């Protein structure tokens, strides 16, 4: 971290600032300039809040050199992290396909869809039992009965279960029954929830918030990791922009950025990113070309009557076609699927 001080700063206040920083275990080098004095801070500056330093009237500027995240940082962990989900590696050579309905709508329905996506080539089953809906009058999910239905589908197909946790009070139920805990976009900065899943060793699918920067997203992963759980998988699902033709705007640049900055796997959700089934395939293929480690896609056997997100859900035959094309792209970029 580099702090630039105004030349008018009284020496007593400068010393006070230096002592405060030294109390954080930092070593400080001072360069006396003609117009400004510059302080170079060496050590772990993660706990220093640059804005509170900037609030000091003697400070002209504060610049961070190191990233505020440590455990997620590629610099301290050069090799890729591979997250193991029931023996399936996420983040290795193979691209992982997760598919299923937005919401679990009953045991028979989820078991049938699980069979179809398995046949198409999916590796894992998705389906929300607890749903974060914009309106309190919309279907809120089947709750525990939905989790039981997912377990039945897993029993029949062998597909691991990916489902969203919205509240800490359901954590035990998830640890016992679920293979990947999804943290939804709306909860990306629910720090207590992040810490709670951090205290488990379950793989966590961490969706990007609706309006969060990449750094905020990585810091959310850092929250989970700082509690001891290294099994974090990023999931880009589009962000809010001024554009109305799509539900969200898919940010594919995050794939190389996340891979450069962190060692964690990243998958793409082209369903929530576009909100339109007709756009899903193109975004899915582009994501694989851009280096994604997997795709999570909503699949429904009767999208017109889906209880949520029907407009962005693919029918199983369309999903099977998408996998065929995705396989071709994967081989071009040196991956398998
Ligand atoms: C979902 O996966 O169905 C979902 C609600 O996703 P997001 O949190 O990305 O909106
Ligand atoms: Mn959905």
């Amino acid at each position: 971290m580099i702090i630039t001080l105004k030349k008018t700063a009284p020496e007593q206040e400068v010393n006070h600032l230096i002592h405060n920083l030294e109390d954080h275990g930092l070593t400080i080098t001072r360069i006396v300039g003609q117009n400004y004095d510059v302080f170079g801070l060496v050590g772990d500056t993660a706990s220093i809040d640059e804005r509170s330093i900037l609030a000091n009237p003697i400070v002209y500027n504060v610049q961070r050199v190191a990233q505020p995240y440590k455990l997620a940082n590629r610099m301290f962990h050069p090799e890729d992290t591979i997250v193991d989900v029931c023996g399936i590696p996420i983040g290795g050579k193979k691209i992982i396909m997760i598919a299923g309905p937005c919401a679990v709508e009953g045991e028979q329905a989820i078991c049938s869809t699980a069979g179809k996506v398995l046949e198409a080539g999916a590796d894992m089953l998705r389906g929300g039992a607890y749903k974060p809906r914009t309106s309190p009058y919309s279907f809120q999910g089947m709750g525990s009965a939905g989790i039981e239905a997912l377990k039945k589908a897993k029993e029949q197909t062998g597909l691991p279960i990916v489902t969203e946790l919205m509240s800490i009070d359901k954590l035990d139920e998830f640890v016992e029954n679920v293979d990947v805990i999804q943290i939804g976009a709306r909860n990306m900065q629910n720090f207590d929830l992040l810490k709670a899943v951090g205290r488990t060793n379950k793989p966590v699918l961490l969706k990007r918030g609706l309006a969060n920067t990449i750094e905020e997203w990585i810091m959310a992963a850092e929250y989970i990791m700082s509690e001891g759980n290294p099994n974090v998988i990023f999931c880009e699902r589009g962000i809010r922009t001024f554009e109305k033709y799509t539900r969200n705007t898919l940010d594919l640049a995050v794939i190389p950025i996340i891979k450069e900055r962190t060692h964690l796997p990243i998958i793409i959700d082209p369903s929530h990113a576009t909100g339109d089934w007709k756009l899903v395939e193109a975004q899915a293929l582009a994501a694989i070309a851009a280096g994604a480690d997997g795709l999570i896609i909503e699949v429904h056997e009767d999208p017109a009557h889906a209880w949520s997100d029907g407009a962005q859900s693919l029918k199983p035959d369309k999903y099977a076609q998408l996998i065929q094309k995705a396989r071709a792209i994967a081989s071009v970029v040196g991956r398998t699927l």
Side-chain angles (χ1 to χ4, degrees), residues 101-103 126 131 207 247 269 272 298 308-309 312:
C102 178
R126 66 149 287 149
K131 294 301 304 175
K207 288 202 155 192
R247 182 176 180 182
D269 174 348
H272 292 88
E298 288 185 340
S308 65
D309 286 350
Q312 65 194 36

Side-chain angles (χ1 to χ4, degrees), residues 258-308:
I258 286 286
K259 288 205 167 286
E260 182 190 44
R261 300 295 170 135
T262 85
H263 50 87
L264 299 167
I266 174 166
I267 72 166
I268 298 296
D269 174 348
S271 308
H272 292 88
T274 60
D276 181 348
W277 69 269
K278 295 190 290 303
L279 303 177
V280 167
E281 182 181 283
Q283 302 310 293
L285 299 179
I288 291 178
D293 295 306
L295 296 170
I296 181 166
I297 293 179
E298 288 185 340
V299 175
H300 197 285
E301 291 182 60
D302 183 9
H305 296 101
W307 295 0
S308 65

Side-chain angles (χ1 to χ4, degrees), residues 173-190:
E173 182 183 25
F174 275 60
V175 168
E176 193 177 332
N177 300 304
V178 162
D179 301 302
V180 177
I181 299 178
Q182 177 175 324
I183 298 294
R186 289 153 195 82
N187 275 315
M188 190 210 87
Q189 284 190 313
N190 182 338

Side-chain angles (χ1 to χ4, degrees), residues 83-278:
V83 177
D84 181 281
V85 179
C86 307
I88 300 171
I90 304 189
K93 191 171 183 206
K94 185 179 162 13
I95 288 164
I96 300 306
M97 300 296 283
I98 306 170
C102 178
V104 180
E105 299 175 1
E107 188 180 298
Q108 194 274 330
I110 191 71
C111 289
S112 168
T113 306
K116 297 254 163 80
V117 298
L118 173 68
E119 206 181 314
D123 303 287
M124 295 181 202
L125 177 67
R126 66 149 287 149
Y130 298 92
K131 294 301 304 175
R133 304 305 301 279
T134 301
S135 166
Y137 309 117
S138 300
F139 171 58
Q140 302 286 305
M142 291 180 66
S144 294
I147 300 283
E148 288 308 309
L150 283 165
K151 279 171 69 182
K152 199 80 187 173
K154 180 183 176 182
E155 222 175 271
Q156 290 183 9
T157 59
L159 294 173
I161 300 164
V162 182
T163 192
E164 179 169 352
L165 173 69
M166 295 207 300
S167 151
I168 297 177
D169 64 7
K170 300 290 186 292
L171 186 64
D172 291 345
E173 182 183 25
F174 275 60
V175 168
E176 193 177 332
N177 300 304
V178 162
D179 301 302
V180 177
I181 299 178
Q182 177 175 324
I183 298 294
R186 289 153 195 82
N187 275 315
M188 190 210 87
Q189 284 190 313
N190 182 338
F191 300 116
D192 284 342
L193 188 62
L194 298 176
K195 286 195 262 188
V197 297
R199 289 189 287 269
T200 76
N201 61 2
K202 283 277 167 186
V204 178
L205 186 74
L206 178 63
K207 288 202 155 192
R208 182 177 180 183
L210 282 76
N212 284 107
T213 64
I214 296 170
E215 187 159 301
E216 287 165 343
W217 191 20
I218 300 175
M219 290 309 284
E222 192 79 12
Y223 259 95
I224 298 168
M225 299 174 87
S226 68
E227 293 291 328
N229 187 353
N231 303 307
V232 180
I233 305 145
F234 286 110
C235 178
E236 159 70 30
R237 44 79 73 206
I239 47 173
R240 281 268 168 95
T241 68
F242 50 81
E243 184 51 64
K244 293 276 185 282
Y245 275 32
T246 49
R247 182 176 180 182
N248 291 291
T249 297
L250 181 58
D251 181 4
L252 285 180
V254 298
I255 301 170
I257 293 170
I258 286 286
K259 288 205 167 286
E260 182 190 44
R261 300 295 170 135
T262 85
H263 50 87
L264 299 167
I266 174 166
I267 72 166
I268 298 296
D269 174 348
S271 308
H272 292 88
T274 60
D276 181 348
W277 69 269
K278 295 190 290 303

